[in-house]
Amino acid sequence: MTALDLSSPVAVVGTGTMGQGIAQVALVAGHPVRLYDAAPGRAQDAADAIGARLDRLVEKDRLTGADRDAARARLLPAESLTELADCALVIEAVLERLDVKQELFRELEGVVGEDCLLATNTSSLSVTAIGGALDNPGRFVGLHFFNPAPLLPLVEVVSGFATDVTSATLAYETARAWGKTPVACADTPGFIVNRIARPFYAEAFAVYEAQGADPATIDAVLRECGGFRMGAFELTDLIGQDVNESVTHSVWQSFFQDVRFTPSLAQRRLVESGRLGRKSGHGWYDYSDEAAAAEAAEPHTAEKARQPAYVVVEGDLGPASELLTLIREAGIPVREEDEDHGSRLVLPGGGQLALADGQTSVEFRDVVYFDLAVDYRRATRIALSASQDTSPQTLAEATGLFQALGKDVSVIGDVPGMIVARTVARVVDLAHDAVAKGVATEEDIDTAMRLGVNYPLGPFEWSRRLGRNWAYALLDDLHLRDPSGRYAPSLALYRHAYASDKREGSTS
């Protein structure tokens, strides 16, 4: 099946920011576009706003004047739903309330033709439930654009329980013809992105609630070590704390209060206090005075320490093996010893340095943990975790080692799994679980997470890079220390890790 013909009219119902963005995408692609809003005058205002954005595209040489004029001629505000009767596709972007959306589509079904494709842009409601109000739910599909729709390429094409394959395929091909990157998804809470991204926020908030580190330090580690575009605190301030918490709460409730998706109490208090982020002038950070905000948002960075005279490597550092090359390049001698009982660096004072593995420093005689990095060569910051029993000499030697590699060092509390490692492990776990339950393919999940939330790697790219057993082992250790179920590895991840062990001849 091919995409909708460009001569086919497309309607957008709801003319807020998202509705205008979707309308602009369809318009620039070449369709006649109808705009409708229940509030009088809003459709015309939206048409004027879209026209102004088209003018800016011309000014930036992204659109010709002739194409702008043709697009404006194809854009028509509608005063009633009956004016959408000849449309081949209607997309709604109205209030996120099930009853409102169901009533709208019941009305639309009595207006449009039998072959008109009906779509919702909902980000948090069940596509199946919305379509359940229709006499013909087979022609109903989710088309979840990301804001701003004209700029962000991802579109989640969501099939409800009753959606026909032909309808989903038509929606998918139409989104692709509009220059978007569509991914196919079953109707599950949060779809792909909002389901699998929950740990990115949740683990950052959990580290903060455990007093492991402050927001600025956690954000800096996620960016400068993990390779994420923004940290969880600054990103939720940008999104809006109320909006982000609402999505988290919706996913949690939709999964019958699954502990893996439990909302953050600290974020709840932030919302209750009216500190909603940039839009209110205060969220995790204070935006009332930009200079003061910048000063307050400085991450913890350790003072300069002396580099160790040498390090001893015992075992295989696995995902952190690149460090050995960097250490040698820094002129620090590396002595290698074959040991079966672990993977670690031993420092001159006798203390140990190990990659975050879900255990805590306090459990061992003298261990400092370091966090996972997406690329140890390019990372500009490394987090270290130590307990109150850790030798000051060991912590100083560990700090000096990473500083000798050109990294800023942030020392956080004795947090099992640290920051990046526990976040990545949980994202990988949810991704494997989603594939096992038929939500989406591995390829589509990786595409969605890279394009939808700008992750440096998709979950399955992380999984392949880190090793098949890495995420399972880390979460299993975390689960032993927090048996609430939050960190219990999914059956899908267990099978993935166990299958790998069998192929490698393990008898464990």
Side-chain angles (χ1 to χ4, degrees):
M1 177 176 289
T2 59
L4 285 176
D5 188 272
L6 290 181
S7 64
S8 301
V10 171
V12 177
V13 179
T15 58
T17 301
M18 183 57 78
Q20 290 182 32
I22 296 170
Q24 181 178 328
V25 170
L27 190 65
V28 172
H31 288 273
V33 173
R34 311 277 169 76
L35 284 173
Y36 174 77
D37 197 291
R42 289 280 294 274
Q44 182 61 59
D45 291 343
D48 294 340
I50 294 170
R53 284 197 289 275
L54 296 178
D55 288 340
R56 289 194 290 274
L57 291 177
V58 172
E59 292 170 1
K60 296 176 180 179
D61 293 325
R62 296 178 184 173
L63 192 69
T64 67
D67 286 342
R68 173 200 57 197
D69 295 342
R72 277 181 165 171
R74 295 193 302 271
L75 181 61
L76 297 174
E79 294 184 0
S80 70
L81 287 178
T82 57
E83 296 179 48
L84 313 184
D86 64 338
C87 287
L89 168 63
V90 180
I91 306 172
E92 69 80 16
V94 302
L95 186 66
E96 282 286 275
R97 273 180 44 188
L98 179 61
D99 59 336
V100 172
K101 292 179 187 290
Q102 287 179 327
E103 178 59 30
L104 169 64
F105 282 110
R106 275 194 291 263
E107 290 185 51
L108 282 169
E109 196 171 34
V111 171
V112 300
E114 293 182 358
D115 59 348
C116 176
L117 182 66
L118 299 176
T120 174
N121 183 60
T122 186
S123 61
S124 60
L125 299 177
S126 165
V127 171
T128 300
I130 300 171
L134 298 174
D135 291 332
N136 178 17
R139 61 162 160 178
F140 186 74
V141 67
L143 273 177
H144 180 217
F145 289 76
F146 287 73
N147 193 30
L151 297 180
L152 294 186
L154 185 69
V155 176
E156 292 176 319
V157 181
V158 185
S159 292
F161 187 78
T163 302
D164 291 335
V165 172
T166 53
S167 298
T169 303
L170 178 59
Y172 185 98
E173 293 300 332
T174 298
R176 185 160 64 176
W178 291 357
K180 297 301 180 182
T181 302
V183 291
C185 175
D187 185 21
T188 182
F191 309 141
I192 298 176
V193 172
N194 280 328
R195 172 178 177 153
I196 295 174
R198 289 357 284 167
F200 177 75
Y201 311 109
E203 294 312 308
F205 298 161
V207 172
Y208 167 75
E209 289 174 335
Q211 301 187 55
D214 61 275
T217 299
I218 297 169
D219 278 352
V221 172
L222 286 168
R223 289 193 314 269
E224 301 170 36
C225 183
F228 293 96
R229 185 73 60 87
M230 298 179 74
F233 296 90
E234 59 186 336
L235 180 54
T236 53
D237 267 358
L238 179 64
I239 294 169
Q241 297 302 330
D242 52 340
V243 174
N244 180 262
E245 192 211 25
S246 176
V247 173
T248 298
H249 195 271
S250 174
V251 172
W252 175 61
Q253 289 282 23
S254 297
F255 276 113
F256 307 105
Q257 300 185 358
D258 187 329
V259 68
R260 295 175 302 166
F261 301 100
T262 302
S264 162
L265 181 59
Q267 188 180 39
R268 174 91 291 261
R269 293 292 178 258
L270 205 65
V271 173
E272 289 175 339
S273 70
R275 295 185 171 185
L276 306 182
R278 288 185 175 272
K279 63 185 178 184
S280 70
H282 203 304
W284 295 109
Y285 302 110
D286 183 356
Y287 302 95
S288 58
D289 183 327
E290 290 296 336
E295 183 178 347
E298 283 297 316
H300 166 76
T301 302
E303 297 291 333
K304 185 69 176 176
R306 181 178 299 178
Q307 71 182 51
Y310 65 89
V311 296
V312 178
V313 58
E314 296 182 349
D316 179 7
L317 294 185
S321 58
E322 182 184 19
L323 281 175
L324 298 180
T325 300
L326 301 181
I327 292 169
R328 291 187 177 99
E329 289 175 358
I332 300 173
V334 177
R335 305 174 187 174
E336 297 189 33
E337 294 184 6
D338 291 329
E339 294 287 343
D340 295 330
H341 57 267
S343 302
R344 61 189 181 180
L345 293 172
V346 180
L347 299 164
Q352 301 170 22
L353 185 59
L355 176 63
D357 60 5
Q359 301 182 87
T360 57
S361 181
V362 75
E363 299 172 50
F364 304 97
R365 185 179 64 82
D366 198 10
V367 170
V368 171
Y369 281 105
F370 64 93
D371 210 346
L372 177 70
V374 66
D375 183 334
Y376 283 99
R377 182 176 293 277
R378 297 177 61 185
T380 58
R381 182 178 299 272
I382 295 292
L384 301 180
S385 176
S387 76
Q388 66 271 21
D389 297 329
T390 303
S391 155
Q393 179 183 354
T394 298
L395 183 56
E397 288 178 342
T399 300
L401 174 64
F402 282 104
Q403 289 174 338
L405 306 185
K407 317 299 183 187
D408 288 329
V409 173
S410 291
V411 179
I412 69 172
D414 191 11
V415 178
M418 301 193 68
I419 298 170
V420 179
R422 70 196 290 178
T423 299
V424 170
R426 288 208 58 216
V427 167
V428 167
D429 183 43
L430 289 186
H432 278 280
D433 185 54
V435 169
K437 292 176 177 173
V439 173
T441 65
E442 291 185 8
E443 181 181 2
D444 276 357
I445 287 175
D446 276 354
T447 297
M449 301 312 290
R450 286 196 313 270
L451 298 183
V453 277
N454 288 312
Y455 282 10
L457 297 171
F460 293 97
E461 291 175 310
W462 272 113
S463 187
R464 288 188 290 272
R465 177 181 291 197
L466 296 170
R468 295 175 64 92
N469 193 52
W470 179 86
Y472 176 82
L474 187 144
L475 290 175
D476 196 41
D477 277 336
L478 269 170
H479 179 54
L480 288 174
R481 287 150 185 82
D482 179 359
S484 64
R486 178 188 181 102
Y487 299 103
S490 67
L491 179 59
L493 192 64
Y494 172 79
R495 285 172 171 158
H496 178 76
Y498 179 71
S500 175
D501 284 347
K502 283 187 65 176
R503 280 193 290 273
E504 293 166 8
S506 171
T507 59
S508 58

